[in-house]
Amino acid sequence: MSTKIPRVTLVGAGPGDVDLLTIKGAKALAAADLVLYDALINPALLDLVPADKPRVFVGKRSGKHEFPQEEINALIVKYAFEYGHVVRLKGGDPFVFGRGYEEIQFAAQHGISTAVIPGISSAVAVPASQNIPLTSRGVSESFWVITGATKYGQISEDIALAAQSSATVIILMGMKNLEDITRVFQVLGKNTTPVAIIQNGTLPNERLVCGTIDTIYQLAQEQQVTSPAIIVIGQVVDLRFPSEQKTKIIQEANQFNLPNGSTF
């Protein structure tokens, strides 16, 4: 039995790219006595954990629940008392559809000290990686972030509410219900609204498929786009420009002498 004081640090791993982990998150991993990690985290992040410290996989992915949430909660408590500092590493931000609050609440109920280190949410980072702004003056004044499947596997009723607005709609975990999601927008006459699906966002194998409400389901089927993926619906999708064009713009802008030595 460890004589260390049990504590749990909940760390958001970010959307996938190793470099998008926060510095504070990296420090927590380096100070861990044991790490519990999910399926969607980049495995390279485990290299930040001291070599002699255990790393325990407790992953859950869409349609595959190797570890029920109740079992994960129990493991967090068990390992905190046995090892001391447990780092719970979860993809994206653990408070955005990550059930992170449930985990630290369970630990706190057992007298364990908890801390939360936020992560960069895939909801905002993944569209940005494809030069898609979630808001833009004159185009979109706000955005919704909605789960694509409730705990019963159905689409959220909030999607119908969001579809009535002019806001950008970001849907996480929605690929299995993509056809049903598009029908919600079609009923409201938004057939030509632009849609982007980004698979494996911020990773080297990132894929992008763009279409409209009427075409995106068929395009996703043809190109075999699967989870994990982010669905972005709204006029902001049409503001996207290719990465090579962005690079050219930056190169051209940096030819000018900007004030205070700043760059574009």
Side-chain angles (χ1 to χ4, degrees):
M1 181 69 68
S2 172
T3 58
K4 294 184 178 181
I5 298 174
R7 62 189 178 104
V8 174
T9 303
L10 183 64
V11 175
D17 185 339
V18 173
D19 292 337
L20 292 178
L21 176 73
T22 65
I23 294 173
K24 193 168 185 178
K27 289 179 178 179
L29 288 173
D33 293 315
L34 179 143
V35 175
L36 293 167
Y37 66 96
D38 276 351
L40 291 179
I41 68 108
N42 191 321
L45 291 176
L46 298 178
D47 293 340
L48 300 174
V49 182
D52 61 336
K53 303 302 181 182
R55 304 156 177 81
V56 181
F57 174 75
V58 289
K60 296 191 298 180
R61 301 192 74 155
S62 177
K64 297 179 181 179
H65 292 76
E66 288 91 344
F67 289 83
Q69 187 63 51
E70 293 75 18
E71 185 175 343
I72 294 174
N73 292 347
L75 286 174
I76 290 171
V77 170
K78 174 180 181 292
Y79 286 134
F81 282 115
E82 288 182 2
Y83 287 87
H85 182 206
V86 170
V87 170
R88 177 69 174 104
L89 186 63
K90 300 174 71 72
D93 182 277
F95 274 18
V96 180
F97 304 125
R99 302 187 73 171
Y101 177 76
E102 296 176 38
E103 296 179 357
I104 62 167
Q105 182 185 42
F106 189 84
Q109 288 172 347
H110 287 77
I112 298 171
S113 174
T114 65
V116 178
I117 299 177
I120 298 175
S121 174
S122 59
V124 294
V126 169
S129 74
Q130 285 291 341
N131 303 319
I132 298 174
L134 299 187
T135 61
S136 185
R137 286 188 296 176
V139 180
S140 176
E141 298 174 353
S142 58
F143 61 88
W144 295 62
V145 179
I146 309 174
T147 179
T150 66
K151 63 181 180 179
Y152 302 110
Q154 301 170 333
I155 66 172
S156 169
E157 293 181 359
D158 287 346
I159 292 176
L161 295 174
Q164 297 175 49
S165 73
S166 60
T168 305
V169 182
I170 302 100
I171 301 175
L172 310 182
M173 304 170 290
M175 290 304 296
K176 285 191 173 182
N177 290 327
L178 178 59
E179 189 172 19
D180 291 336
I181 291 168
T182 58
R183 286 198 188 106
V184 172
F185 285 80
Q186 287 169 336
V187 168
L188 294 168
K190 298 198 171 183
N191 308 62
T192 60
T193 300
V195 183
I197 298 177
I198 309 162
Q199 180 183 2
N200 296 320
T202 76
L203 293 172
N205 59 341
E206 180 174 279
R207 297 177 62 203
L208 171 73
V209 176
C210 290
T212 66
I213 286 295
D214 276 350
T215 65
I216 195 65
Y217 178 71
Q218 182 177 348
L219 289 170
Q221 293 291 305
E222 291 173 350
Q223 300 191 37
Q224 298 181 339
V225 181
T226 60
S227 299
I230 305 288
I231 303 167
V232 184
I233 303 172
Q235 298 301 324
V236 292
V237 172
D238 280 347
L239 299 180
R240 175 188 174 271
F241 52 85
S243 297
E244 57 270 18
Q245 182 179 347
K246 179 179 179 181
T247 300
K248 182 179 179 182
I249 291 172
I250 292 174
Q251 290 173 343
E252 291 177 351
N254 285 340
Q255 292 177 1
F256 296 94
N257 293 321
L258 300 180
N260 300 321
S262 60
T263 57
F264 182 75

